[in-house]
Amino acid sequence: MATKTKTVYRCTECGAEYAKWQGRCDTCGEWNTLVEEMAAPKPVAAKGGGAARRMGGHSSMAEGGNVAVTPRLRDVSGSEARRWRTGLGEFDFVLGGGIVPGSMVLVGGEPGIGKSTLLLQIAARVQALGQRALYVSGEESPLQVKLRADRMAESAGDVSLLSETLLETVIATGAAQQPDVMIVDSIQTVFTQDLEGAPGNVGQVRECAARLMRFAKETGTATFVVGHVTKGGGIAGPKTLEHIVDTVLYFEGESTLDHRVLRATKNRFGSVDEIGVFRMTEGGLVAVENPSELFLGDRTNTASGSAVTALLEGTRPVLVEIQALAAKAGYGTPQRVATGYDGRRLALLLAVLDKRAGLNFSQLDVFLNVVGGMRLQEPAGDLAVAAALASSVYDRPLPHEAAFIGEVGLGGEIRPVSQTERRLAEAAKMGMTTAYVAERGVPKRGPRDIRAVGVRTVRELFERVFGG
């Protein structure tokens, strides 16, 4: 009869180890932080103190290990592994050029956003291009997976399907079939018999992810795992789960919209913060080759409070629309509501506009929205936010073919941002004829189809746009 692996309970905050579970960690004082983990076997000491004599009496330094070969970096040979392209351009772009053999990719997103559909499409495309794909479903029955595959435009009939949640069976099947790509949906449903905890707890998720990572590296199988998202928006399970894998992808989007954004927050084989845009259709997800056109498609010429800026998502410039609405407050305390923008940054800009440009928001409700479900994280969009707010207060529309690119300082000054030329080129491609940028950030050799206007302060910008 096989002996069960010994387990311990370790605190996720301080790392203290306990033989049994308890509600409070005695070391750091935190509650409910003990999780079950596998205990590493202790090495057996050499008889007669031979190891101690070989290491000059330091026996603890020699136990349980062998001397390893340490080549110099200049002596390491080899080349980068060839990537597999799926034919889904936006997906390959986010990964950095395609799937890397032996890599492990974590795909997270809210329920119903389309993670399973995307990965089943990837499996179908990989299979059609000559590589073998294995789809491991721990949440859905084979019939449910087949019904989804029948709705897709791609044919997934040749994809191998395994409906299993036991990790040992998943790895044994993968080792026997030797697929090029293996998809595990999801990591929270897979469990190992070596741990007594229920599937989805911290110990199970971390141990299963570590073993799948080891399987991917040893066999060269590119492994994709689906991760559930918590209420806070992070991937459920320990934060170390994101450190284990090679690439972390977040699938984002509003349930009321038909487009989705795939964002890389970690990538060992490419640049981070790249995005890919998809449109959800009856036949699955379709890549959007020009995201700027999607986000600017419904703009009107006469609406006030609308401004356009150019963001850099990784290496890709994307034009997005900023909408602002300032209305008379109906209650004693005005509201400040921001969607896709940091609320504290909005409060800072309102204070700057009040102090430096004479716009008083103390009796106005302020609503700010980044169109299309995008998130405005870099400061390059500050100028567009300020222009949209002023446009709503004055109730006068901004020039329809103008873009606003720049960071706003506490003194009301406009600061330049990086890679202005690439942002201007994207704006020119989308039909913009004028771009308001920082005076020190006007490029010497910018695109010919767009005129860069340098402004020093937000007050000067408002005088140029609204006159006086």
Side-chain angles (χ1 to χ4, degrees):
M1 184 175 179
T3 304
K4 205 167 189 65
T5 306
K6 182 181 178 182
T7 61
V8 296
Y9 293 87
R10 194 181 307 276
C11 177
T12 57
E13 296 294 328
C14 65
E17 184 178 308
Y18 298 88
K20 61 181 181 179
W21 187 87
Q22 58 189 48
R24 183 174 183 269
C25 176
D26 296 333
T27 304
C28 64
E30 295 293 332
W31 288 88
N32 298 323
T33 57
L34 299 189
V35 295
E36 184 185 24
E37 290 185 356
M38 295 179 57
K42 294 183 179 181
V44 180
K47 294 183 179 180
R53 288 193 296 270
R54 286 193 299 272
M55 295 299 296
H58 300 286
S59 59
S60 61
M61 297 175 60
E63 294 176 359
N66 298 318
V67 178
V69 179
T70 57
R72 298 183 183 275
L73 285 176
R74 61 171 171 265
D75 299 329
V76 177
S77 60
S79 60
E80 185 179 358
R82 178 177 173 269
R83 296 175 183 261
W84 300 326
R85 292 190 175 273
T86 64
L88 200 61
E90 293 293 289
F91 185 81
D92 294 336
F93 173 75
V94 173
L95 286 181
I99 301 174
V100 177
S103 63
M104 185 170 176
V105 180
L106 176 64
V107 182
E110 295 180 355
I113 202 68
K115 303 183 297 297
S116 300
T117 301
L118 174 65
L119 292 179
L120 190 56
Q121 286 185 239
I122 298 303
R125 287 175 172 268
V126 166
Q127 189 75 36
L129 293 174
Q131 278 86 27
R132 296 181 302 277
L134 173 62
Y135 190 93
V136 181
S137 176
E139 298 183 342
E140 298 177 319
S141 66
L143 178 59
Q144 289 174 307
V145 178
K146 184 179 185 302
L147 291 175
R148 177 185 289 111
D150 292 341
R151 296 193 299 266
M152 295 190 325
E154 292 88 351
S155 175
D158 295 331
V159 176
S160 300
L161 176 63
L162 173 63
S163 182
E164 182 60 61
T165 57
L166 182 61
L167 178 67
E168 286 77 7
T169 302
V170 172
I171 292 180
T173 305
Q177 294 191 5
Q178 297 182 354
D180 297 300
V181 175
M182 184 172 73
I183 298 169
V184 180
D185 186 8
S186 66
I187 189 64
Q188 276 82 13
T189 62
V190 179
F191 72 98
T192 174
Q193 291 178 329
D194 294 331
L195 294 179
E196 297 180 356
N201 70 16
V202 176
Q204 286 280 6
V205 169
R206 180 159 46 192
E207 181 63 24
C208 292
R211 292 193 187 183
L212 287 172
M213 182 67 164
R214 188 160 56 247
F215 169 78
K217 298 303 180 186
E218 292 176 353
T219 62
T221 300
T223 304
F224 291 82
V225 295
V226 175
H228 294 308
V229 170
T230 61
K231 293 181 180 179
I235 294 179
K239 195 66 177 177
T240 53
L241 179 61
E242 300 185 19
H243 298 304
I244 292 174
V245 301
D246 296 312
T247 304
V248 179
L249 305 179
Y250 277 91
F251 210 34
E252 308 167 350
E254 299 291 338
S255 58
T256 57
L257 301 177
D258 63 349
H259 68 269
R260 305 287 187 267
V261 176
L262 184 67
R263 186 185 305 272
T265 59
K266 173 188 176 182
N267 194 353
R268 289 174 178 165
F269 309 108
S271 59
V272 297
D273 290 328
E274 297 286 8
I275 67 166
V277 183
F278 300 86
R279 180 181 287 109
M280 179 66 77
T281 65
E282 294 181 356
L285 291 160
V286 178
V288 177
E289 301 298 337
N290 190 353
S292 297
E293 184 177 359
L294 174 67
F295 296 134
L296 298 180
D298 298 328
R299 293 188 70 221
T300 61
N301 295 330
T302 59
S304 62
S306 174
V308 174
T309 187
L311 305 180
L312 270 183
E313 296 289 349
T315 60
R316 165 184 286 178
V318 179
L319 262 64
V320 297
E321 180 185 0
I322 311 296
Q323 291 182 336
L325 177 62
K328 185 177 179 181
Y331 301 95
T333 303
Q335 300 183 69
R336 303 288 186 258
V337 181
T339 303
Y341 192 69
D342 185 19
R344 292 173 296 182
R345 187 72 179 174
L346 174 60
L348 183 148
L349 286 179
L350 293 178
V352 171
L353 294 180
D354 188 357
K355 182 74 172 179
R356 309 301 180 186
L359 296 179
N360 188 359
F361 293 90
S362 61
Q363 302 298 323
L364 298 176
D365 290 334
V366 175
F367 304 92
L368 189 72
N369 178 43
V370 183
V371 175
M374 292 288 289
R375 294 201 312 265
L376 194 60
Q377 295 178 326
E378 61 170 333
D382 287 352
L383 195 59
V385 173
L389 289 170
S391 172
S392 181
V393 171
Y394 295 138
D395 198 19
R396 296 176 59 184
L398 294 165
H400 185 68
E401 297 178 348
F404 301 85
I405 306 169
E407 178 184 358
V408 177
L410 293 181
E413 75 278 8
I414 309 301
R415 298 177 178 271
V417 296
S418 63
Q419 303 187 48
T420 304
E421 295 86 350
R422 298 189 59 194
R423 301 175 196 261
L424 294 179
E426 180 68 16
K429 188 172 70 173
M430 294 305 301
M432 299 292 169
T433 59
T434 307
Y436 292 92
V437 299
E439 189 175 58
R440 293 188 294 112
V442 176
K444 296 180 179 179
R445 295 182 179 180
R448 297 181 179 179
D449 299 333
I450 189 170
R451 181 172 64 97
V453 179
V455 290
R456 292 176 296 176
T457 64
V458 289
R459 182 181 290 274
E460 179 182 341
L461 172 68
F462 299 158
E463 290 175 354
R464 283 176 175 265
V465 172
F466 301 112

